[in-house]
Amino acid sequence: MAIESKPEAVILTEIMLTVFRVNGRLLEKGDELVEPLNLTSARWQVLGAVALAGNPLSAPQIAEAMGITRQGAQKQINKLKEDGFFEQSPNTRHQRSPLYALTELGNRTFAKVMYLEAAWANGLVASLPLQDLKKTLKTLNAVYERLDSPVPKKGARS
Amino acid sequence: MAIESKPEAVILTEIMLTVFRVNGRLLEKGDELVEPLNLTSARWQVLGAVALAGNPLSAPQIAEAMGITRQGAQKQINKLKEDGFFEQSPNTRHQRSPLYALTELGNRTFAKVMYLEAAWANGLVASLPLQDLKKTLKTLNAVYERLDSPVPKKGARS
DNA sequence: CCATTATTGGAAACTGGTTGTCAATATTTA
DNA sequence: TAAATATTGACAACCAGTTTCCAATAATGG
């Protein structure tokens, strides 16, 4: 027996499918964008987490900032260190858990990435009204918040 | 030297980050939703591709419909067949490339999934205005289309 | 009709993430 | 202070996707 679907739910389902498609495309294009800099979307994100923090971070802190697991972050960190984007310094607070900071190369590269990203985004928004973009961001964030909590009961306030 | 960022580009960048987060959450919640049915988000999607087609499909056709590679689709197909959701029939048009259709179990399961998804989406849209959802879908689709083409030149028509 | 080219499934290696285990180090608490 | 607990890095196995290579089968065209 089919359930009674609200028209809102139908649109939301379409939004979900579009989010999947956009997500895939963004990773693809992001990889292309930073490929000349010897980066990938994943490593760009890790680089950004440390760059935006402004101070050296440990692996668990980077994972926390990115919303991924400690081990997942560690994999990218190790590669970034290997390729000279990160340098390691001792952590006075935890002997086994070093801190990571951007090297000169890391900083130079991240600056280039920011430049490329800005140029890309500027080209992408051509003829998209600012109001539409703002409303979209607001709605997506609302959906995201609802995805946090379990199925809300009918009539539950807030 | 920092680039001149349009305010639209700034919002678009935030939308991108939100899309990443929403995408992750959707997969997570989707996995939870269909876990009792011995499915995952990935296998649900393959099941859906064949169910919605209405007729048996070959592996390359399923991949095409899903926008993933032939080999990626094949992995899920093999598991779905193994678990009794798909049955294989000979393809008169290509001896080495069988067609896949839903078994009785496959159909029953997909019906349950649709029910669960509808209930979930209905609960999720509480207090989200239909107009906002429609505008969001439209804007996301516009972004998606722009992601297709390379950097559009200023003044390019259509 | 035969030779070239395209499609297909299988297997393996890779990316980027997950979970789980282990031993070492920190931290908390009794 | 000593014991229990939590955090951490290394490692391995797994999921979901990718690319690459192979051999078999279709399809095309000379």
Side-chain angles (χ1 to χ4, degrees):
Chain A
M1 175 170 5
I3 200 173
E4 203 65 39
S5 262
K6 301 175 191 168
E8 287 88 354
V10 175
I11 303 291
L12 178 61
T13 299
E14 290 179 46
I15 290 176
M16 291 178 184
L17 297 177
T18 302
V19 164
F20 290 144
R21 284 194 293 265
V22 171
N23 180 78
R25 239 0 120 65
L26 283 178
L27 291 181
E28 204 175 283
K29 293 290 174 177
D31 279 341
E32 284 174 31
L33 194 71
V34 298
E35 191 269 330
L37 301 173
N38 191 27
L39 286 179
T40 62
S41 289
R43 294 165 66 190
W44 163 13
Q45 204 189 337
V46 176
L47 205 62
V50 177
L52 298 181
N55 56 310
L57 297 180
S58 69
Q61 285 172 333
I62 294 172
E64 164 75 17
M66 295 178 57
I68 66 174
T69 60
R70 182 171 56 88
Q71 294 87 336
Q74 189 79 55
K75 280 190 188 178
Q76 303 302 334
I77 292 169
N78 292 342
K79 278 186 206 154
L80 286 165
K81 189 176 66 170
E82 205 176 290
D83 284 2
F85 296 108
F86 275 175
E87 65 192 351
Q88 204 171 327
S89 63
N91 183 351
T92 57
R93 294 195 48 216
H94 194 134
Q95 173 180 342
R96 285 191 54 196
S97 193
L99 298 176
Y100 300 94
L102 270 65
T103 58
E104 170 55 26
L105 171 66
N107 276 308
R108 244 188 305 123
T109 303
F110 188 66
K112 284 184 199 164
V113 170
M114 281 194 299
Y115 180 89
L116 288 174
E117 200 275 338
W120 181 49
N122 274 335
L124 220 47
V125 289
S127 81
L128 288 178
L130 182 57
Q131 267 321 307
D132 288 10
L133 292 167
K134 281 186 177 171
K135 178 146 262 174
T136 295
L137 177 57
K138 200 181 133 236
T139 303
L140 276 184
N141 271 319
V143 170
Y144 179 67
E145 278 160 31
R146 282 170 170 70
L147 283 170
D148 245 339
S149 38
V151 196
K153 292 241 190 305
K154 189 178 172 186
R157 55 252 168 284
S158 173
Chain B
M1 172 172 5
I3 200 172
E4 203 66 39
S5 261
K6 301 176 191 167
E8 287 86 356
V10 175
I11 303 292
L12 178 60
T13 300
E14 291 180 45
I15 290 176
M16 290 177 184
L17 297 177
T18 302
V19 163
F20 291 145
R21 283 194 293 265
V22 171
N23 180 79
R25 233 9 113 64
L26 284 179
L27 290 182
E28 202 175 286
K29 293 289 173 177
D31 279 341
E32 285 175 30
L33 194 70
V34 298
E35 190 271 327
L37 300 173
N38 191 27
L39 285 178
T40 62
S41 289
R43 295 165 67 191
W44 164 13
Q45 204 188 340
V46 177
L47 205 62
V50 177
L52 298 181
N55 56 309
L57 297 180
S58 70
Q61 286 171 331
I62 294 172
E64 165 75 17
M66 295 177 59
I68 66 174
T69 61
R70 180 172 57 89
Q71 293 86 339
Q74 189 79 54
K75 280 191 188 179
Q76 302 302 333
I77 293 169
N78 292 342
K79 278 186 207 153
L80 285 165
K81 188 176 65 170
E82 207 176 289
D83 285 1
F85 296 108
F86 276 175
E87 66 192 349
Q88 203 171 325
S89 63
N91 183 351
T92 57
R93 295 195 48 214
H94 194 133
Q95 171 180 343
R96 282 192 57 196
S97 193
L99 299 176
Y100 300 94
L102 271 65
T103 58
E104 169 55 27
L105 171 67
N107 275 309
R108 245 188 305 125
T109 303
F110 189 66
K112 284 184 198 164
V113 170
M114 281 194 298
Y115 180 89
L116 288 174
E117 201 276 336
W120 181 48
N122 274 336
L124 221 46
V125 288
S127 79
L128 288 178
L130 182 58
Q131 266 321 306
D132 288 9
L133 292 166
K134 281 187 177 171
K135 179 145 264 179
T136 295
L137 178 58
K138 199 180 135 237
T139 303
L140 276 184
N141 271 319
V143 170
Y144 179 68
E145 277 160 31
R146 281 169 172 71
L147 283 170
D148 244 340
S149 39
V151 197
K153 293 239 191 305
K154 191 180 173 186
R157 55 251 169 285
S158 172

